[in-house]
Amino acid sequence: MTLYVIGTGPGDISYMSQRAIDTIKRVDCIAGYTTYIDLIKDLIPDKEIISTGMTKEVERVEKAIDMALTGRSCALVSGGDPGIYAMAGLVFEICQKRDIKLLRIQDNENQNSSGDSDKTLALEIIPGIPALAAGAALAGAPLTHDFAAISLSDLLTPWEKIEKRLTCAAMADFVIVIYNPKSKKRDWQITKAQELILEHRNGSTPVAIVTGAMRENQNISFTNLDQIDTADIGMQTVVFIGSSTSLRYLDFLFTPRGYGGKYAI
Amino acid sequence: MTLYVIGTGPGDISYMSQRAIDTIKRVDCIAGYTTYIDLIKDLIPDKEIISTGMTKEVERVEKAIDMALTGRSCALVSGGDPGIYAMAGLVFEICQKRDIKLLRIQDNENQNSSGDSDKTLALEIIPGIPALAAGAALAGAPLTHDFAAISLSDLLTPWEKIEKRLTCAAMADFVIVIYNPKSKKRDWQITKAQELILEHRNGSTPVAIVTGAMRENQNISFTNLDQIDTADIGMQTVVFIGSSTSLRYLDFLFTPRGYGGKYAI
């Protein structure tokens, strides 16, 4: 009656936490998108695997919940962090709909109530290093001050809402982290985002484009806001658009916290 | 001539990545705030330690850079992720000021140029699980859609700028993650933030307050936007303010990605 939602971090298992690794080794079954299952396959030679393709999120989470409800322990794994644009939200969405009671593992251990109902799951979400932190570490330090994370995917969100967020984030001088900037079928959104942000920010604003962080296809490039080359951008890309205070230094982008103004450096 | 900037994640070493642990074990010296050094002390029985108090950030980073410039390998550690409201930005700020050349470890290994100058450092930033991801995992899944991270610390940032970011983030319906909500000396900012956000968001908006994520003093509480009790809030607290679509389910806060509208759940 236990469901774990686990983030494997960027790249291979070297960026996973020990708690994530130990838990994955211990559970009865693993559910995840094929790509992530492959990344951790050395850890799980003997597990039952629920592996589904990329557009099968709902099916995958439903199966993991059903498996956990049968009394087995199940880990739902995803790359990066499971709570940032990832599967954790869907677990709650489905459990609420199906009226499945959820107890934090910690609460559950205290109350010793695991397995007292066929509609109760013990739940632990084990965070991972999100793509925005992995990408930032490669780009330099773009996120050391306030930032907004915006997904350009309009599959589940009206584009008007995304536009409003881009405009407000630009107005408020947030560093902007763009998730899902472009796919084969969604190729115009990143250029539109660039235009909206340019209404409130200089063309010379530094931008870092990080693709495949900590993976074999890793690529880091730097440009200015008015010169973004969308050819560098794909499904595995995170784009960092600097605030008015962000700076380029050598092949790095960083956002000073403000120490320079306050202390003699 | 090598500097590592490493995030130890939340809590103890069980949330650190293997890459962070291996690197910390390998370096000659470690610099960090006393609290974080204590958390990893089992890993570093024989290291030289540069440990300084909390307001000594500049001094600590300067010392780590100086140590690395003498030809020794040095790790600058911080809790959470080093790139989100943390030390990584300051490394670039100081190196730019002092005209110290920085090469990514990866570039450096390729070019075999380590140690060719007394003003060059090889640098690797090893990301960690940030407080916002750790807090979100405990709260439920507040960050599965667009969000803005805002620090309420006006020590290094003008309060007017923080107000503008709060207002714009509220207008654009971002989930809002508040860092540094309150300290002994800064006690009114969280209430002012609440007022500003309430101008654009319902009083019934769900809020999660997470203190000391994955530490012994961990505490998770839930409330509504118009009922935030600032007594629950301190230096180690991250506050999650839901968007208009965020929901409370049992003792969890989550933000649906939108699958419910698109697919039959």
Side-chain angles (χ1 to χ4, degrees):
Chain A
M1 294 290 188
T2 307
L3 181 66
Y4 298 91
V5 183
I6 300 178
T8 62
D12 65 16
I13 65 169
S14 64
Y15 288 95
M16 278 177 81
S17 69
Q18 198 58 50
R19 189 168 182 92
I21 291 172
D22 291 346
T23 305
I24 285 172
K25 285 180 177 168
R26 204 177 60 229
V27 295
D28 300 316
C29 70
I30 311 272
Y33 171 41
T34 322
T35 305
Y36 301 126
I37 295 288
D38 283 349
L39 285 171
I40 59 168
K41 63 178 184 295
D42 295 345
L43 295 178
I44 50 170
D46 54 347
K47 305 289 183 189
E48 182 167 348
I49 307 288
I50 304 168
S51 172
T52 60
M54 200 173 58
T55 59
K56 304 283 187 186
E57 291 96 344
V58 176
E59 183 185 329
R60 196 187 313 144
V61 177
E62 292 265 16
K63 281 186 180 172
I65 289 170
D66 289 337
M67 190 70 85
L69 284 171
T70 66
R72 308 177 68 194
S73 60
C74 190
L76 182 64
V77 301
S78 62
D81 177 71
I84 297 185
Y85 297 111
M87 293 294 93
L90 193 50
V91 170
F92 292 101
E93 209 170 337
I94 291 170
C95 287
Q96 184 178 39
K97 185 89 176 182
R98 290 175 52 183
D99 199 24
I100 296 166
K101 194 176 172 197
L102 293 168
L103 297 170
R104 281 186 186 75
I105 292 275
Q106 202 175 325
D107 305 341
N108 187 51
E109 283 169 353
N110 294 342
Q111 297 167 22
N112 203 17
S113 58
S114 169
D116 66 352
S117 154
D118 60 359
K119 292 275 272 184
T120 300
L121 285 183
L123 175 73
E124 182 179 350
I125 300 173
I126 301 179
I129 296 170
L132 61 83
L138 294 170
L143 305 183
T144 42
H145 213 309
D146 303 332
F147 65 94
I150 304 174
S151 166
L152 297 192
S153 172
D154 54 356
L155 297 177
L156 301 175
T157 305
W159 177 252
E160 296 69 34
K161 188 154 196 173
I162 299 170
E163 281 204 354
K164 183 163 187 190
R165 287 179 174 160
L166 288 163
T167 295
C168 288
M171 280 172 54
D173 201 28
F174 282 107
V175 174
I176 302 175
V177 186
I178 294 184
Y179 270 71
N180 304 311
K182 188 178 146 194
S183 70
K184 279 180 188 168
K185 288 184 181 168
R186 292 185 306 98
D187 60 357
W188 55 266
Q189 285 85 348
I190 181 66
T191 304
K192 182 68 187 169
Q194 175 192 30
E195 287 168 17
L196 290 168
I197 299 167
L198 274 169
E199 288 176 17
H200 301 274
R201 210 164 286 187
N202 274 339
S204 61
T205 301
V207 169
I209 298 171
V210 181
T211 299
M214 284 74 174
R215 295 191 187 166
E216 281 182 13
N217 63 332
Q218 175 181 302
N219 190 55
I220 310 160
S221 66
F222 296 89
T223 185
N224 292 337
L225 181 56
D226 60 2
Q227 292 175 331
I228 293 174
D229 182 355
T230 63
D232 285 345
I233 297 173
M235 293 273 285
Q236 291 184 32
T237 304
V238 177
V239 180
F240 297 87
I241 295 171
S243 72
S244 67
T245 61
S246 298
L247 297 169
R248 174 87 178 272
Y249 178 59
L250 305 167
D251 273 341
F252 300 94
L253 169 62
F254 74 104
T255 307
R257 188 71 189 280
Y259 292 101
K262 177 126 177 169
Y263 304 102
I265 288 184
Chain B
M1 294 291 186
T2 307
L3 181 66
Y4 297 91
V5 183
I6 300 179
T8 62
D12 65 15
I13 65 168
S14 62
Y15 288 95
M16 278 176 80
S17 69
Q18 198 57 51
R19 189 168 183 92
I21 291 172
D22 291 346
T23 305
I24 284 173
K25 286 181 177 168
R26 203 177 60 229
V27 294
D28 300 316
C29 72
I30 310 274
Y33 172 42
T34 321
T35 305
Y36 302 125
I37 295 288
D38 283 349
L39 285 171
I40 59 168
K41 63 179 184 295
D42 294 345
L43 294 178
I44 50 170
D46 53 347
K47 304 290 183 188
E48 181 167 348
I49 308 288
I50 305 168
S51 173
T52 60
M54 201 174 56
T55 58
K56 304 283 187 185
E57 291 96 345
V58 175
E59 183 185 328
R60 196 186 315 143
V61 176
E62 293 263 15
K63 280 186 180 172
I65 289 170
D66 288 338
M67 191 69 86
L69 283 172
T70 66
R72 307 178 68 195
S73 59
C74 190
L76 182 63
V77 301
S78 62
D81 177 71
I84 297 185
Y85 297 113
M87 293 295 93
L90 192 50
V91 170
F92 292 103
E93 209 169 336
I94 292 170
C95 286
Q96 184 178 38
K97 186 88 175 182
R98 292 174 52 182
D99 199 22
I100 296 166
K101 193 177 171 196
L102 293 168
L103 296 169
R104 280 187 186 74
I105 293 275
Q106 203 176 327
D107 304 343
N108 186 50
E109 283 169 354
N110 293 342
Q111 296 166 23
N112 203 16
S113 57
S114 169
D116 65 353
S117 154
D118 59 1
K119 292 276 272 184
T120 300
L121 286 182
L123 176 73
E124 180 177 351
I125 299 173
I126 301 179
I129 296 171
L132 60 84
L138 294 170
L143 305 183
T144 41
H145 213 310
D146 303 332
F147 65 94
I150 303 175
S151 165
L152 298 192
S153 171
D154 54 356
L155 297 177
L156 301 175
T157 305
W159 178 252
E160 297 68 34
K161 187 154 195 171
I162 298 171
E163 281 204 353
K164 182 164 188 190
R165 286 178 175 161
L166 288 164
T167 295
C168 288
M171 279 172 55
D173 200 28
F174 282 106
V175 174
I176 301 175
V177 187
I178 295 184
Y179 270 70
N180 305 310
K182 189 178 147 195
S183 70
K184 280 179 187 169
K185 289 183 183 169
R186 292 186 306 99
D187 60 357
W188 56 267
Q189 286 85 348
I190 180 65
T191 304
K192 182 68 187 167
Q194 176 192 29
E195 287 168 18
L196 290 168
I197 298 168
L198 273 169
E199 289 176 18
H200 301 276
R201 209 165 287 186
N202 276 338
S204 61
T205 301
V207 168
I209 298 172
V210 181
T211 298
M214 283 75 174
R215 295 192 187 167
E216 281 180 14
N217 62 333
Q218 175 180 303
N219 190 56
I220 311 161
S221 66
F222 296 89
T223 186
N224 292 337
L225 181 56
D226 59 4
Q227 291 174 331
I228 293 174
D229 182 355
T230 63
D232 286 345
I233 297 174
M235 292 274 284
Q236 290 184 31
T237 304
V238 177
V239 179
F240 297 88
I241 296 171
S243 72
S244 67
T245 61
S246 298
L247 296 168
R248 174 86 179 272
Y249 179 58
L250 305 168
D251 274 341
F252 299 94
L253 169 62
F254 74 103
T255 307
R257 188 72 189 280
Y259 292 101
K262 177 126 176 168
Y263 304 101
I265 287 183

